Amino acid sequence: MAVPSPSRMWRPLAARPPGSLRERTGGSGGHRGGGAAGPRPPGGAGGSQRHPASGAAASASLSRRAGAPWLPRAMALPPLPSLPAAALALAALAAFLLVLICVIAHVTAKTMPHEDAECRRGSAPNLHDPATRELSVVVPSYNEENRLPLMMDEALDYLEKRQVAKEYCKKYGSDKVRVISLEKNRGKGGAVRTGVFSSRGKTILMADADGATKFADIEKVEEGLKNLQPWPEGMAISCGSRAHLEKDSIAKRSYFRTLLMYGFHFLVWFLCVKEIRDTQCGFKLLTRQAALQTFSNLHIERWAFDVELLYIAQRLKIPIAEVAVNWTEIEGSKLVPFWSWLQMGRDLLFIRLRYMTGAWKLEAKKCN
């Protein structure tokens, strides 16, 4: 293959102003070997100028900006699609979905449950009445025939040392130990709410039936409650916490359950409660007035009721203490890892949206 001589190679014209060149066509304006001359660019007279060093003519139209390399117009790239238009479309779609979710949350919101019928049966006491006992312990139970007796024995053994009788309600009557049966399964939150509204104590303790937290740790949450004094309008909450055991629990959990745990904690922090690390520990001590204000406004009756309880407390400016307690994993949990966490995630989103849209509103309650 013949190599063109240096005199016929392209060279930019250093002194030529921005404009157009014509492709070389041979020594006197035609292709070497008798070809026809190329088309002349617009501008007429200057189209057949030759490079002073090579003598080559130019014909094909080239263009460039000042200081930029020479590029043929045929090589120009097509314009990129408009990114702002795509971003606006995605933003509009996201806004539409958010509005749709808010509408669904508002329309499907249940009204605040009225005072439970079970609380008014016979001569049962009520949370609206003045306290007649120092302490009430609420233990939600559903198919807990294997775990509840152990927890009750431990709790009553401990309380006996504090001048509370050990025997069950059949021996000593409902004045010391009472059992409230629900007509249908209303979830852990519904059971706790019913028990709280039947409480007579100045303070009310929530405790799980599995006995995962030693009952003696009531002294720790009582101390946390005292440290919050003076209580505004007699309201304060002391929450048992397992946050200090998080590293050990991660080592024993599968990666999947650990991922679910972190995801749930993030949703709780992002949507509802920012100041409490462990919202789900079932060992919580409330003053009577705090229990009245929070449980009277409670809507969630399943696993996420603890989150709504603390969300309401924060909205009402009720002081909350988080106290480390002992905790042991007890077999027989009713919590199904994936589906229960999925339901809880849905409830967390709806808690925030329903209060934000006004479907749920906080109402102040007064004791009798």
Side-chain angles (χ1 to χ4, degrees):
M1 179 177 65
V3 179
S5 63
S7 63
R8 293 207 177 257
M9 295 179 65
W10 283 95
R11 294 188 179 90
L13 299 179
R16 186 176 179 83
S20 64
L21 290 178
R22 303 175 65 192
E23 187 182 39
R24 59 185 179 83
T25 59
S28 60
H31 188 279
R32 188 171 63 179
R40 297 176 62 86
S48 61
Q49 294 182 2
R50 298 174 180 270
H51 192 286
S54 64
S59 63
S61 176
L62 300 172
S63 65
R64 72 177 180 90
R65 293 181 180 178
W70 293 92
L71 290 173
R73 286 182 181 174
M75 296 176 60
L77 297 175
L80 294 174
S82 177
L83 293 180
L88 288 175
L90 290 176
L93 178 61
F96 172 76
L97 292 176
L98 179 60
V99 172
L100 180 62
I101 293 174
C102 290
V103 171
I104 294 174
H106 187 88
V107 171
T108 59
K110 296 180 181 179
T111 57
M112 185 181 65
H114 296 289
E115 188 173 324
D116 297 343
E118 290 84 355
C119 300
R120 284 300 183 188
R121 289 180 180 174
S123 59
N126 189 269
L127 187 62
H128 294 270
D129 300 330
T132 59
R133 297 291 184 273
E134 288 296 323
L135 173 68
S136 292
V137 181
V138 178
V139 184
S141 175
Y142 178 69
N143 292 339
E144 295 286 0
E145 59 274 5
N146 294 325
R147 302 192 298 178
L148 183 60
L150 298 176
M151 182 270 172
M152 290 292 293
D153 286 336
E154 181 195 357
L156 291 171
D157 281 340
Y158 175 83
L159 291 175
E160 187 180 42
K161 300 175 183 177
R162 295 176 55 163
Q163 308 304 316
V164 176
K166 179 183 176 181
E167 301 299 329
Y168 294 98
C169 58
K170 287 185 178 180
K171 185 173 182 179
Y172 288 102
S174 61
D175 187 57
K176 295 183 178 178
V177 178
R178 291 174 297 124
V179 177
I180 303 173
S181 299
L182 302 182
E183 295 180 357
K184 64 177 183 178
N185 181 10
R186 291 175 48 192
K188 181 180 178 181
V192 172
R193 186 176 187 274
T194 302
V196 167
F197 271 105
S198 298
S199 299
R200 299 171 289 175
K202 294 179 181 178
T203 57
I204 301 171
L205 176 71
M206 295 163 43
D208 287 340
D210 59 3
T213 301
K214 294 300 181 183
F215 200 86
D217 281 354
I218 186 177
E219 297 178 2
K220 297 180 180 179
V221 290
E222 284 179 330
E223 185 65 23
L225 208 61
K226 291 178 182 178
N227 293 336
L228 294 174
Q229 291 179 332
W231 304 327
E233 299 181 6
M235 296 188 296
I237 300 175
S238 181
C239 300
S241 175
R242 304 159 297 178
H244 62 292
L245 304 172
E246 184 174 311
K247 292 183 179 179
D248 293 337
S249 64
I250 289 175
K252 299 176 182 178
R253 285 194 181 105
S254 65
Y255 289 111
F256 180 68
R257 292 192 65 182
T258 300
L259 180 63
L260 288 177
M261 180 191 70
Y262 278 122
F264 178 77
H265 287 175
F266 173 77
L267 288 178
V268 170
W269 175 86
F270 184 74
L271 295 173
C272 301
V273 181
K274 298 185 182 298
E275 299 177 1
I276 305 299
R277 294 178 60 193
D278 183 10
T279 59
Q280 300 309 110
C281 181
F283 209 71
K284 294 180 175 68
L285 184 66
L286 302 87
T287 64
R288 189 173 186 82
Q289 185 64 19
L292 174 63
Q293 298 301 328
T294 53
F295 279 93
S296 295
N297 289 287
L298 192 69
H299 300 82
I300 300 294
E301 293 188 330
R302 298 293 173 180
W303 299 106
F305 86 96
D306 297 87
V307 178
E308 187 190 4
L309 179 74
L310 296 176
Y311 178 80
I312 293 171
Q314 288 189 345
R315 289 279 301 269
L316 296 177
K317 308 297 184 184
I318 298 176
I320 304 173
E322 186 172 14
V323 181
V325 295
N326 296 309
W327 185 81
T328 305
E329 182 79 38
I330 304 295
E331 303 227 352
S333 173
K334 305 298 187 300
L335 189 69
V336 181
F338 179 76
W339 295 111
S340 297
W341 288 65
L342 190 64
Q343 182 186 47
M344 291 167 72
R346 181 204 64 183
D347 289 343
L348 293 180
L349 179 61
F350 281 0
I351 288 172
R352 183 59 181 270
L353 292 180
R354 285 168 176 166
Y355 279 108
M356 185 175 67
T357 60
W360 292 347
K361 297 179 180 179
L362 299 179
E363 300 177 3
K365 301 294 181 180
K366 295 182 179 179
C367 286
N368 295 335

